[in-house]
Amino acid sequence: MIIAVHDLRRNVSRAVRSVIQDADPTIRAFIVAHNLPVEDVRLALADLIDENPGRVRVEQLDDGIRSPSGPFNYGMRSSTADYVGIMGSDDELDPTSIREWRACAEARHADAVIAKVVRGANRGLVRSPAKRVWKFGALDFAKDRLSYRSAPLGLIRRDAVERFDLRLLEGAGNGGDLPFVTRLWALGRVVPSTGLGAYVEHADAPARVTWAAKPIDEEHGSIRWMLSGTFINSLRPSYRTALGTKLLRRNVMDSIRKRDGGRALTNEDMAGLRRSIQMILAYAPRSRWLVSRAHGAMIEELLRDAPRREVIVGWDEIAANPSHRDSLLPARLRFVLHRQAQPRYAAAAALIKVGSSRYLPAAVRATIALATTVVAIVAVLVVRSVSSG
C-alpha cells in the first residue's frame, strides 16, 4: 500500500499501522516522503519500522510540486508487489481490508477491487459508485456508474497499471486521479469488495491540498485535460454519456456548493464554470438532460452571457432538497427512465448500503439455490403426475 506523506503533522503512523496490522508479511507499506527529508519520516515511523522489519519501506521524492500525483506515480513505478493501492496519510484501513481485497481479486480474476469507503468515527458509508445493487461480479463503466468513484481506493494488479498505462495527472493539485480511474474503470475487469474491511477516510488533518480554494480553471484542470485526450474520445457513446453526466452532476455542482451554494461565486468563477460546461456538453451532449431539473437550470444559467448569481443560489437550494420534485426529475422528462437520469441515479445511490453489505452475495446465492430447488421439486411432481395419469 503506497502512502504519500506531504506533512508530518498528519497521523501517518496511524495509516502505516493499519496496513501492517495484518500479520501476513506479504502485506507491506511503501511510504513516499514527498518534499520532506526522508530521515524525518523514518524517525516519525521508527517504532513501526523496527517492530516490522522488511514491511515498511520509506523513500524520498523531492520534486518541489504540491501535488499528490507525483509520489503516488513514483510508488507505483517503484513497487515490486503483485498488487498496489494508494492511501492518504491521514486515513486508515480496517484490519482485514487488504487480505479481503486480495482474496476477492484472486477469486474473480480482477484487475481492480473497489473498496468500501466509510468516513470518520461514525463510519458513514460513501455511496459511490451507485452500482446495480445485486451486482458483485465484474462491473460495467456505464451500467454501474463507476465514474462516480473518482479515487482508486482499494487494490489494483500492478501489471494492470502498465497494461492500461495508468498514471495520475502530474502536477494536479486536485483531481489528478480522474484520468487514472477513468482508464481503469473503462478498460479493466473491476469488481466491488465484499466482506467487513473498509477504507476509512478521516478529516482530522490540519490541511489538505485538494480542499484549498483555487480558481475554477485550476480546479477543473484535470477534467479539461482528460476531455481533450484521444482515449476519452474513443469511448463508446454510453460511456461518454455516463461520464459527462457525472462531471456535471458532481464536479460542476460540487464547485458551486463549496462556494457557499453559489453565494461566493465570482465573475471569474462563473466564466470558468461556463468553459467547463461547454467542454462537457461538447463531449456528451445528452448529459445536460439527464441531471436533475434544478441542476439543469443552473447549467442553463451559467451558459448565459451574464449569469445571475441569485438564480444559481436559488436553484442550488432546491437541488439540496431531496424531496423537491425538481431535485428528483430529470431536466428533460422523456429521459426519466434513462440509466444515468436523476431518478435511477438517486434510487441506486439510496440502495448502495444494501449493495455494500457483506451478506448480499450469500443472500443472492441462497435465493437462487432456493428457487432452483423449488423449480426442481415442481418439475418432479409434474413428471410423476403425468406418469401416473
Side-chain angles (χ1 to χ4, degrees), residues 238-257:
S238 63
Y239 285 20
R240 292 166 65 111
T241 298
L243 178 59
T245 306
K246 179 266 179 183
L247 293 174
L248 292 177
R249 182 178 281 140
R250 295 292 293 273
N251 298 76
V252 170
M253 296 305 152
D254 285 353
S255 292
I256 295 170
R257 195 153 297 123

Side-chain angles (χ1 to χ4, degrees), residues 9-260:
R9 292 174 297 170
R10 295 190 178 189
N11 197 348
V12 62
S13 59
R14 174 179 64 190
V16 175
R17 186 178 293 107
S18 76
V19 172
I20 59 176
Q21 63 188 319
D22 192 306
D24 185 341
T26 66
I27 297 176
R28 294 166 288 168
F30 185 166
I31 296 85
V32 181
H34 187 215
N35 300 323
L36 291 173
V38 69
E39 295 81 8
D40 291 355
V41 176
R42 288 192 177 121
L43 181 61
L45 299 172
D47 290 345
L48 290 171
I49 293 172
D50 292 343
E51 294 166 7
N52 302 273
R55 297 189 65 191
V56 182
R57 174 182 174 183
V58 183
E59 293 194 12
Q60 185 173 23
L61 175 65
D62 193 3
D63 61 5
I65 302 172
R66 284 178 56 83
S67 166
S69 298
F72 285 136
N73 284 336
Y74 175 84
M76 284 185 282
R77 285 195 307 268
S78 305
S79 176
T80 59
D82 292 334
Y83 294 93
V84 294
I86 68 174
M87 181 177 176
S89 58
D90 46 349
D91 296 335
E92 66 179 316
L93 304 179
D94 283 339
T96 60
S97 294
I98 296 179
R99 180 186 294 266
E100 291 176 355
W101 297 341
R102 184 169 60 184
C104 183
E106 293 288 347
R108 298 178 185 174
H109 309 287
D111 293 309
V113 175
I114 295 183
K116 177 169 66 177
V117 179
V118 298
R119 288 186 175 142
N122 294 329
R123 296 179 67 87
L125 181 68
V126 174
R127 295 176 183 265
S128 68
K131 69 178 185 68
R132 291 168 289 180
V133 68
W134 64 87
K135 191 70 173 175
F136 44 86
L139 302 177
D140 181 84
F141 184 91
K143 294 176 182 178
D144 294 297
R145 306 173 184 87
L146 289 181
S147 59
Y148 288 84
R149 175 60 63 88
S150 56
L153 304 179
L155 213 57
I156 308 163
R157 285 187 190 270
R158 189 168 57 86
D159 70 351
V161 175
E162 296 304 320
R163 228 179 328 125
F164 302 137
D165 191 24
L166 304 178
R167 300 288 185 275
L168 281 78
L169 182 59
E170 294 282 357
N174 64 297
D177 41 13
L178 183 59
F180 183 105
V181 296
T182 302
R183 289 185 72 91
L184 177 57
W185 302 159
L187 298 175
R189 179 175 169 82
V190 181
V191 301
S193 62
T194 55
L196 287 169
Y199 182 107
V200 186
E201 289 184 341
H202 290 292
D204 52 5
R208 278 184 180 266
V209 171
T210 53
W211 290 355
K214 303 177 183 71
I216 290 290
D217 287 344
E218 182 180 347
E219 189 173 304
H220 288 187
S222 298
I223 296 172
R224 297 178 188 178
W225 182 91
M226 182 180 69
L227 290 178
S228 64
T230 303
F231 167 75
I232 209 72
N233 285 282
S234 70
L235 295 179
R236 66 185 70 170
S238 63
Y239 285 20
R240 292 166 65 111
T241 298
L243 178 59
T245 306
K246 179 266 179 183
L247 293 174
L248 292 177
R249 182 178 281 140
R250 295 292 293 273
N251 298 76
V252 170
M253 296 305 152
D254 285 353
S255 292
I256 295 170
R257 195 153 297 123
K258 71 168 62 172
R259 288 165 172 79
D260 195 19

Side-chain angles (χ1 to χ4, degrees), residues 317-334:
E317 291 174 350
I318 292 172
N321 180 358
S323 63
H324 197 289
R325 70 174 186 175
D326 288 339
S327 74
L328 293 171
L329 292 174
R332 183 164 286 181
L333 197 57
R334 73 183 180 91

Side-chain angles (χ1 to χ4, degrees), residues 257 261 293-298 301 310-320 324 326:
R257 195 153 297 123
R293 282 181 172 177
H295 287 164
M298 294 162 74
E301 188 65 31
E310 67 277 8
V311 172
I312 296 170
V313 169
W315 281 113
D316 184 73
E317 291 174 350
I318 292 172
H324 197 289
D326 288 339

